[in-house]
Amino acid sequence: MQKLNVAFVGCYQTNLNVGFALRELKKSVETLEKLSRERNFSFYPIREGVFDKDSAIQVTRELKDKEIDFVLIQSSSLAPGEIIPVLADISPRLGLWAIPEPTEEGPIPLISFCGMNMYGSIIGNYLRDHRINFKWFFGDVDSELFLNRFNLTIDVLAALKSLSCSRLGLIGGIAPGFYDLYFDERKLRSKYGVSVSRNEFSEILQKAISYPESKITKLADQIKKEGLNKGVESQQFEKAARIYLALEEIARENDYSGLAISCWPKFQQEYGLSVCSTIGRLNQNGIAASCEGDIPGVLSMLLLNYLNQDCSTLMDLVKLDTQDDSLLMWHCGPTAKSWADEKGVSYCPHYVDKVGIINDLTFKAQLVTIMRITNDGSRIFLAKGNILEEEKKSFDGSRGWIGNLRILEKKASALDFVNTIMVNRFEHHYPIASGNLYEQLMEACAWLSLEPIEMVAYQNYLQNPS
C-alpha cells in the first residue's frame, strides 16, 4: 500500500472569536497527528492557520513539494472566501470541515458551518470548470461523526493511490474468443493511473524450464502438502511449480501488482498444464491474478485487495436458484486456499483437458462483495451477499452459492441479479472479495466519477439498456 499524504489547513476570520478558532485548530492538529501515526498516513499540518489570501498563498508554497493527495480544510471560523481558490490548487481532492459552535447563545463565535457551506459553493460554482472534488465533514475532531467519515476517506484514498501506482501484466494476451474482455488501456490509465504491459507465453515457458530440479522439487513438495491430491500426477506438480516461479519472477522483474493470465489454450497445448491452481497460489501470495487475460478483472480484484487487505477471487456465474434466490459462482479452480471451508482444498486434474491442477474447494460461509469495473472503466457493478452455510449441490472447481443478494444495497432476487447484468450487457467475470465493502466502493466511485450500475428489476418483457 502507498502512504497517503494529507495536509491540514485551518481557516479563520480575524474579526470573529480568534481565541476559540485557534484553540480548535490546535486541538485538531494534535489529534490528527496522533491519528496519522495510528492509520499510517503522512500528515502536513499548517499550525498557524490562514486568514487571508496572502497567508493562503504562503501555505501553497510550503506544501508545493509535498505531493499532497488530500487537503482537509477546516472552517475554524468563517474566513474570507478568497482563500478557497488558492487552497484548492494544492490538490484536486479536498475535505471541507465545519466544527460545532462552542456556545449556544449570545454572539455566534465561529460561524463555522456557514463557512464550510460557502467554500463548497465557491468550488461548485465559481470554480466549476476546475473539476475539483470535495467531501464535507462535521463535528469535533474526536467525535464519531467526524472520525467515521474521515477514516473511510483515508482508507479509500490510500487504496486509490496504491491502484494508481500499480502496473498490470497481460500474460499471453486475451484468451481466444473472449471478446467481451477487450479493453482500452488508455482509458484505464487515464481514469485509474494503472499501466498495462505485455509478456508473451514463450517468455514464461522459457523461464519455467530454466529452473534447476532442486528448486522445483522443493516447491512441488510444498504445494502437494497444502491440499488433498485426487488423481494429479507428480509431474504436474513439478510443472505447476515451474510456471508459478516463472510468473512470480515476471511480476517481480516488472513490478507488476497484478497479472491477467491467458490460461488457455497455449499452456495446455504447449506445456500440458492447466494453470488454475497456480493462479490461486499467486492470489494467495499477494499477486492479484485473473483468468483468460482479463485486465479489467484483475484491476477490479486489485482495488478490492487494497480495500480489505486480503485476496479476492474471479468467478463465472453458472447457475441460479429461484427457490431460495441464490446464485452459484464458480470457476475451474483459480481461488486461493484461504477461501476454502473446513473441507480445505483438493487438487484435481482439469475437468476438460485432464491435465494440470485445479483448486477444488467450496467457499466458507461469509459476507462477500461482488464488484467489477467495466471494460471502458466508466462504470462499476456492485453487489453483495452471503456465502450459504447449507451444503447445496455444485460443480467441481472453486465455487460457492451466494444468497441474501443486494445490488447497491437494494434487495435483489436471483432473477433481478441476472436481469441487471444481462440488460446492461455486463462482462461475464465477477471479482469477489470478503466482507462488506459497499461504503468504501461507493466513496471510490465518487472520487473517480464512476457510475454505479443500478438494479434493473426482472420483468417478462424485453428491457433495453438505458
Side-chain angles (χ1 to χ4, degrees), residues 348-384:
C348 305
H350 195 282
Y351 71 101
V352 172
D353 307 290
K354 309 303 181 186
V355 295
I357 312 171
I358 70 166
N359 283 355
D360 184 39
L361 61 87
T362 306
F363 298 160
K364 60 189 173 188
Q366 59 180 310
L367 177 63
V368 295
T369 297
I370 306 166
M371 187 280 292
R372 182 183 175 88
I373 297 166
T374 55
N375 287 1
D376 67 354
S378 66
R379 301 190 300 163
I380 71 164
F381 176 71
L382 175 56
K384 68 180 182 182

Side-chain angles (χ1 to χ4, degrees), residues 171-233:
I171 309 298
I174 299 170
F178 281 68
Y179 301 132
D180 69 327
L181 302 183
Y182 275 67
F183 64 98
D184 187 332
E185 62 190 88
R186 296 166 301 179
K187 290 182 178 179
L188 297 185
R189 183 164 194 145
S190 173
K191 176 71 77 174
Y192 302 94
V194 297
S195 61
V196 179
S197 298
R198 290 161 172 77
N199 297 87
E200 296 302 323
F201 170 78
S202 57
E203 186 179 352
I204 307 303
L205 187 57
Q206 186 176 3
K207 280 185 180 293
I209 62 178
S210 70
Y211 299 118
E213 199 68 36
S214 57
K215 187 174 185 178
I216 295 305
T217 300
K218 182 179 179 181
L219 180 56
D221 289 343
Q222 183 182 334
I223 294 171
K224 288 178 188 177
K225 293 174 183 177
E226 294 174 359
L228 177 64
N229 189 357
K230 292 186 175 179
V232 177
E233 297 177 359

